[in-house]
Amino acid sequence: GDLSVQTEVKVDVEKKDEDLKILLKEGEKAKVQCQVEKQLTAPVRKGDVVGSVEYSLNGQIFGSYPVVAKEDV
């Protein structure tokens, strides 16, 4: 039989204590790319890394943070 169960996992971006700051020219925009696993295999524990968020400008990454599960599933 099919043992898969669909459920949602709450996630959060695990930032360091410092804020991410960058000086942008007029009209310039930073790119934010979020990559999160579409399918996870149980057990998923609070704090498990399930993806990442990257901030880039002109193709150069200037910040990257892990996306973590906020709860056990």
Side-chain angles (χ1 to χ4, degrees), residues 22-61:
I22 185 166
L23 186 61
L24 299 174
K25 295 177 186 175
E26 187 175 331
E28 203 170 37
K29 291 186 178 182
K31 181 179 177 183
V32 180
Q33 186 170 2
C34 182
Q35 298 175 335
V36 178
E37 294 293 330
K38 297 275 186 231
Q39 198 169 18
L40 300 169
T41 303
V44 176
R45 300 283 178 226
K46 181 177 180 178
D48 283 356
V49 176
V50 296
S52 65
V53 174
E54 291 182 346
Y55 298 86
S56 63
L57 182 63
N58 300 325
Q60 183 174 354
I61 296 171

